[in-house]
Amino acid sequence: MDLLISAIEVLMRWDVALALLVGSVGGVLIGAIPGVGPAVAIAILLPATFSMDPIVGLTLLLGIYGSSMYGGAIPAVLINTPGTAVNALTTYDGYPMTARGEPQRALSLAYSSSFFGGMFSVACLVLFAPVLAKVAPMFGSREIFLAALLGIILVIVAHRGQSLIAGALAALGIFIQTIGFEPVKYTQRYTFDQPFMQGGLNLIVVVLGLFALSQAFVLLTSEDEKFRTTRLRGGLLQGLRELARHPRVATVSASFGVLMGIIPGVGEFTAQFLSYTYAQRTSKRPEDFGHGASEGLIAAETSNNAVPAAAMVPLLALGIPGEALTAMMLSVFYVHNVVPGPGLFQNSMDFVVALYIALAVLNVLVLLFLLVATRPLIQLVKIPNRFLGICVLTLSFVGVYSLRNSVTDCVIAAVFGLFGYVLKRLDLPVVPIILGMVLGNIMEVKLRAGMARVKEPLDFIDRPIAFILFIVILLVLGAHLIRVLADRRDLKAAERETKTRPTRFGGLLFRRKGTIDRSRARAVRARHIRPGGERGQ
């Protein structure tokens, strides 16, 4: 009880409350605008959060992270265009409801499902917080190194059909973080005698370039779409009653979200598709899925909103981010010399509990805001792409320059922005670069510290948790190898059946000298192309 009271006192400050309100409302607005997304907003706001207290800055970023998926459901349901990448599955059953004249029912059900998923996740993590506080101190340097290595491997294998390029981009991120002075003996690495390279490439500069500037270039070079918005009639509270009629689907989907959020590199997309598949297979009317099934919409929205709170577990307990958004939040800790990891749970448990309470309050604020502001929010989808692009471009350069008042940083950010733009146009992932930079630094530091007591290779895994992590790494690599071989066998079978030679690049199938049977090609392609898009973009 004392811990809870202490955590509430942390949140009762006016600046924390204001950050929570601005973050929750701002996240909904960002999510409701197709083409922007929380990653761009968080990247732009990062420089501003460095001058705030850690709890204020993290509350602001958590507000955007947790509320953007609420707002992303609005265009997904009304105009069949997901506001954020993780709302792609919402269109499967949300838009068909709108098409048959039930937009208010679809939005109400999406809001209610999101609220349930968010609150379920927070409740689970508050209950498990004492367990985490006991387990976290068991992780030493070797265990954290292996956990970070597992995180990178999971990120790579999660990009099914693109694992090779994802691995190469993660390796590029690891290389980028080595530029500058080496942390132990302070020797220069890959600086080429250039003074501006001696300090290394700033993570925030790279983040702003790869996420914000690249998205600005995408918006500036894309045509405006003509959206026809739908007028809403009726109340938006009926979704709570409909959600209560499907407690099994909602609970299982939220559980998938919690589990997938805790595992680094997995996240919303895996949670959504596991939940959606479960809901369809256990439904009495599976044929309705994709045509406006309420259970499908519940599964999609409940699972993706259960992830944000769970994704904070590896970040807070081990200092290991699972995806790009939590990697950005990690930089807020570093700037204020707050080290996430086992020590945080031992010495600042009230800080951890305060963050989870903030997530719970966030869900309540967002739901109340949407119940009264959905109708005017619909107009946000009409903002022209080029206007958005100019705004993002300007704010990004302002943010980069404000870090160190450096024009060189702006040039570096622009270079990474162009690189990110090329990757997006080629439908290649950007997230592995950022995670490579963050996790690569953690791996280097922990490996050096862990090797001090290692005399033989097997000494590195002579402790229970280290050994378990090592076995998990082997299992993940083995399962991925089996899956790759099975996919290759299926491709060869498709080639023999169609008497063509399909080739793959970036996870896509192309035809050569003939026509592939379309149903067979779709079945094969569905197993190779990573669902949805990138997390957090």
Side-chain angles (χ1 to χ4, degrees):
M1 182 58 70
D2 292 340
L3 179 63
L4 183 61
I5 294 174
S6 178
I8 293 175
E9 289 177 352
V10 172
L11 293 176
M12 290 300 291
R13 292 166 37 185
W14 70 268
D15 52 353
V16 177
L18 180 62
L20 187 60
L21 179 63
V22 171
S24 58
V25 174
V28 173
L29 298 176
I30 292 297
I33 303 173
V36 181
V40 175
I42 290 177
I44 292 173
L45 286 173
L46 267 181
T49 60
F50 292 162
S51 60
M52 305 175 183
D53 286 345
I55 186 64
V56 178
L58 286 172
T59 300
L60 176 63
L61 299 183
L62 274 177
I64 294 173
Y65 182 20
S67 62
S68 61
M69 287 175 278
Y70 280 88
I74 295 175
V77 167
L78 297 181
I79 60 175
N80 203 27
T81 302
T84 70
V86 297
N87 292 109
L89 202 60
T90 306
T91 62
Y92 283 26
D93 293 284
Y95 184 71
M97 288 186 183
T98 299
R100 67 182 183 222
E102 299 176 319
Q104 72 282 0
R105 177 194 170 203
L107 285 176
S108 177
L109 193 56
Y111 297 160
S112 303
S113 301
S114 298
F115 178 76
F116 177 82
M119 296 301 289
F120 182 91
S121 178
V122 173
C124 288
L125 297 171
V126 169
L127 292 175
F128 293 142
V131 178
L132 291 172
K134 293 179 180 179
V135 173
M138 299 180 185
F139 280 76
S141 297
R142 284 174 274 177
E143 287 80 6
I144 293 178
F145 167 79
L146 290 170
L149 178 60
L150 176 61
I152 284 187
I153 292 172
L154 288 171
V155 169
I156 293 171
V157 302
H159 291 80
R160 189 169 183 180
Q162 295 181 316
S163 55
L164 184 61
I165 189 65
L169 292 172
L172 175 63
I174 294 174
F175 168 75
I176 290 172
Q177 71 84 27
T178 64
I179 296 173
F181 281 103
E182 178 263 333
V184 176
K185 297 182 179 180
Y186 295 100
T187 55
Q188 295 187 40
R189 299 186 298 192
Y190 309 113
T191 60
F192 304 103
D193 294 326
Q194 298 297 319
F196 73 92
M197 298 283 281
Q198 292 177 358
L201 297 182
N202 187 284
L203 175 65
I204 307 307
V205 173
V206 177
V207 165
L208 279 164
L210 287 176
F211 286 93
L213 288 177
S214 66
Q215 189 62 29
F217 296 150
V218 170
L219 291 169
L220 288 170
T221 56
S222 59
E223 296 291 334
D224 294 330
E225 296 186 41
K226 301 296 183 181
F227 295 125
R228 180 183 177 186
T229 56
T230 305
R231 295 187 62 184
L232 299 181
R233 294 182 177 87
L236 293 169
L237 287 173
Q238 62 185 23
L240 291 171
R241 295 190 295 270
E242 189 167 1
L243 179 67
R245 295 199 291 269
H246 302 283
R248 174 183 51 80
V249 173
T251 304
V252 172
S253 299
S255 301
F256 275 128
V258 172
L259 292 174
M260 296 302 106
I262 292 175
I263 302 173
V266 180
E268 290 97 342
F269 292 119
T270 305
Q272 279 183 315
F273 278 84
L274 288 174
S275 303
Y276 195 85
T277 301
Y278 168 81
Q280 187 174 25
R281 289 181 177 177
T282 59
S283 175
K284 295 180 180 179
R285 297 178 60 86
E287 67 277 2
D288 289 346
F289 280 68
H291 300 89
S294 58
E295 292 168 283
L297 186 55
I298 290 171
E301 285 295 303
T302 303
S303 57
N304 67 23
N305 279 272
V307 169
M312 297 298 292
V313 170
L315 177 69
L316 296 175
L318 303 175
I320 296 175
E323 38 70 56
L325 298 182
T326 48
M328 296 180 200
M329 294 179 196
L330 185 61
S331 62
V332 179
F333 284 98
Y334 287 159
V335 165
H336 294 282
N337 293 319
V338 178
V339 181
L344 189 64
F345 275 75
Q346 289 180 304
N347 306 322
S348 304
M349 193 62 190
D350 56 340
F351 181 86
V352 176
V353 175
L355 287 179
Y356 286 132
I357 295 175
L359 280 169
V361 175
L362 157 73
N363 282 279
V364 175
L365 288 175
V366 172
L367 184 65
L368 294 176
F369 175 69
L370 285 171
L371 290 177
V372 299
T374 294
R375 287 174 175 82
L377 284 176
I378 296 173
Q379 305 305 317
L380 291 176
V381 302
K382 298 180 179 179
I383 298 177
N385 286 339
R386 291 187 176 89
F387 176 76
L388 284 176
I390 288 294
C391 292
V392 172
L393 192 70
T394 304
L395 292 173
S396 299
F397 278 120
V398 169
V400 172
Y401 186 78
S402 66
L403 284 172
R404 297 183 291 196
N405 296 332
S406 171
V407 176
T408 303
D409 283 347
C410 294
V411 174
I412 294 173
V415 170
F416 277 99
L418 291 172
F419 181 54
Y421 173 74
V422 172
L423 291 178
K424 288 182 177 181
R425 284 302 186 193
L426 294 175
D427 195 27
L428 298 178
V430 176
V431 172
I433 300 176
I434 299 302
L435 291 181
M437 290 184 66
V438 176
L439 295 180
N441 181 60
I442 293 171
M443 289 168 60
E444 180 182 6
V445 172
K446 297 303 179 182
L447 179 62
R448 285 177 180 248
M451 290 299 291
R453 298 182 181 180
V454 173
K455 296 180 180 179
E456 297 180 2
L458 291 179
D459 291 345
F460 204 85
I461 55 172
D462 61 355
R463 295 193 293 207
I465 295 180
F467 181 75
I468 291 172
L469 289 170
F470 178 71
I471 295 299
V472 172
I473 289 172
L474 293 180
L475 291 175
V476 170
L477 292 174
H480 181 65
L481 179 60
I482 292 172
R483 188 173 66 182
V484 168
L485 294 175
D487 290 345
R488 187 170 297 178
R489 186 173 57 250
D490 289 343
L491 282 172
K492 289 182 178 179
E495 180 180 356
R496 286 194 299 269
E497 287 181 16
T498 57
K499 296 181 180 180
T500 60
R501 296 177 59 196
T503 60
R504 293 173 61 237
F505 175 76
L508 299 176
L509 277 173
F510 296 88
R511 298 187 193 84
R512 242 191 235 173
K513 297 181 181 179
T515 303
I516 297 177
D517 175 69
R518 291 186 178 181
S519 61
R520 177 66 178 174
R522 279 196 298 268
V524 175
R525 185 162 55 242
R527 292 194 295 271
H528 289 273
I529 299 177
R530 183 167 50 88
E534 288 206 42
R535 178 179 173 184
Q537 294 190 41

